[in-house]
């Protein structure tokens, strides 16, 4: 993989994975008018919004077709059954997100050289692309962040998250282990899971933080990232203390 820095960019979705090669002529459900890629994007965007708002079970293929303004057969034509559509919705932005995280990690490794990467830099490299995408990216990223928040707390999410996110998570966990020698992997995984939950909570945009803080101002993404990094860095570093257990 060519290492280049993208961590400072605004994370906009640049297209979707290409459709598998198919002969469009004469297929049932073929969209009338427009390019196939445009139809695919409309369907994926509509599905993403509906799944984020209603969950997997609450959004039907008929709902997706209506929101995308296509015939119901067009959804199956492009994506197959509902579970395959859902997986594609997750996969298209997961591929972008994981590339951004690996690029950020590559930058951190170059800077650190042979030394372990400071825990604060590891945390920031992992959470920043997701939070800034949800905050500054096109509206689909906000829907995706809400969808991932739903998925992280459902049995359905276990296999899908593993398929699209676990490889990069394991790469980061190896770096955390190198930075925190002597800390059990299970403890690092617990801390990592708490960090991811906080990241998703920041992106939820429910307004609860504003109510609790008695403010009507949404906090800037940079400030939220800074707080998350400081808080969880302290937690990870506490794991290194031999007497932290009670």
């Amino acid at each position: 993989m060519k290492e280049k820095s993208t961590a400072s960019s605004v994370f906009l979705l640049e297209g979707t994975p290409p459709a598998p090669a198919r002969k469009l002529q004469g297929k049932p459900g073929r969209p009338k008018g427009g390019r196939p890629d445009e139809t695919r994007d409309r369907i994926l965007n509509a599905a993403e919004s509906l799944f984020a708002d209603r969950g997997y079970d609450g959004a039907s293929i008929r709902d997706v077709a209506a929101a995308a303004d296509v015939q119901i057969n067009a959804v199956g034509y492009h994506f197959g059954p509902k579970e395959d559509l859902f997986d594609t919705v997750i996969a298209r932005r997961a591929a972008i997100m994981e590339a951004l995280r690996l690029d950020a990690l590559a930058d951190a490794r170059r800077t650190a050289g042979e030394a372990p990467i400071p825990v604060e830099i590891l945390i920031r490299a992992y959470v920043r692309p997701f939070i800034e995408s949800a905050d500054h990216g096109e509206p689909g990223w906000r829907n995706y962040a809400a969808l991932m928040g739903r998925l992280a707390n459902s049995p359905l999410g276990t296999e899908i998250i593993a398929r699209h996110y676990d490889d990069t998570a394991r790469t980061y966990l190896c770096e955390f282990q190198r930075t925190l020698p002597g800390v059990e992997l299970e403890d690092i995984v617990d801390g990592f899971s708490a960090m991811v939950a906080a990241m998703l909570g920041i992106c939820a945009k429910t307004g609860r933080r504003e109510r609790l803080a008695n403010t009507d101002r949404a906090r800037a993404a940079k400030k939220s990232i800074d707080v998350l990094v400081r808080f969880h860095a302290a937690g990870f570093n506490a794991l290194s203390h031999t007497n932290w257990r009670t």
Side-chain angles (χ1 to χ4, degrees):
M1 174 178 176
K2 184 178 179 181
E3 295 181 353
K4 63 178 181 178
S5 175
T6 58
S8 61
S9 62
V10 175
F11 307 119
L12 300 180
L13 183 65
E14 298 179 353
T16 60
R22 297 176 186 242
K23 293 182 179 180
L24 295 181
Q25 185 65 37
K27 288 284 189 179
R30 180 185 180 187
K32 295 181 179 180
R35 297 199 305 270
D37 285 349
E38 292 175 347
T39 301
R40 284 175 54 85
D41 285 345
R42 286 209 316 276
I43 293 170
L44 287 173
N45 291 337
E48 185 175 63
S49 178
L50 288 169
F51 287 140
D53 186 48
R54 304 178 189 178
Y56 178 81
D57 292 328
S60 68
I61 292 296
R62 187 176 298 279
D63 295 332
V64 172
D69 193 24
V70 298
Q71 297 176 359
I72 190 170
N73 287 344
V75 180
Y77 172 82
H78 284 287
F79 299 103
K82 182 179 174 181
E83 56 266 28
D84 290 349
L85 170 64
F86 189 77
D87 188 77
T88 304
V89 166
I90 300 300
R92 66 167 179 163
R93 296 189 197 270
I96 296 169
M97 186 54 53
E98 299 304 82
L100 290 168
R101 284 169 170 162
L102 291 173
D103 283 350
L105 184 59
D107 286 344
R109 284 169 169 166
R110 280 195 297 269
T111 300
E114 296 299 318
I117 301 171
V119 69
E120 295 87 351
I121 293 177
L122 286 174
I123 296 169
R124 189 178 298 274
Y126 194 86
V127 305
R128 183 185 175 202
F130 194 90
I131 294 174
E132 288 196 347
S133 293
D135 191 68
H136 299 305
E138 46 98 4
W141 277 109
R142 292 192 288 275
N143 290 331
Y144 187 76
L147 175 55
M148 293 307 299
R150 275 184 175 270
L151 203 58
N153 293 288
S154 74
L156 174 67
T158 302
E159 181 180 343
I160 294 176
I161 290 174
R163 182 158 57 247
H164 298 296
Y165 283 97
D166 274 11
D167 285 348
T168 298
R170 288 193 180 97
T171 300
Y172 268 82
L173 288 169
C174 287
E175 293 293 343
F176 274 102
Q177 284 186 286
R178 185 165 175 258
T179 301
L180 301 169
V183 179
E184 294 180 9
L185 176 58
E186 287 184 354
D187 293 341
I188 294 175
V189 169
D190 284 345
F192 188 85
S193 298
M195 176 192 81
V196 171
M199 176 192 75
L200 293 172
I202 286 171
C203 296
K205 305 294 185 185
T206 63
R208 187 164 189 260
R209 188 200 75 84
E210 287 76 18
R211 289 193 298 274
L212 291 174
N214 196 27
T215 177
D216 58 359
R217 293 182 296 105
R219 171 165 275 188
K222 182 182 183 303
K223 182 66 173 176
S224 293
I225 293 169
D226 289 344
V227 170
L228 186 154
V229 169
R230 292 201 310 272
F231 184 86
H232 287 277
F236 276 113
N237 287 323
L239 297 178
S240 297
H241 299 165
T242 57
N243 295 324
W244 71 273
R245 293 182 183 275
T246 59

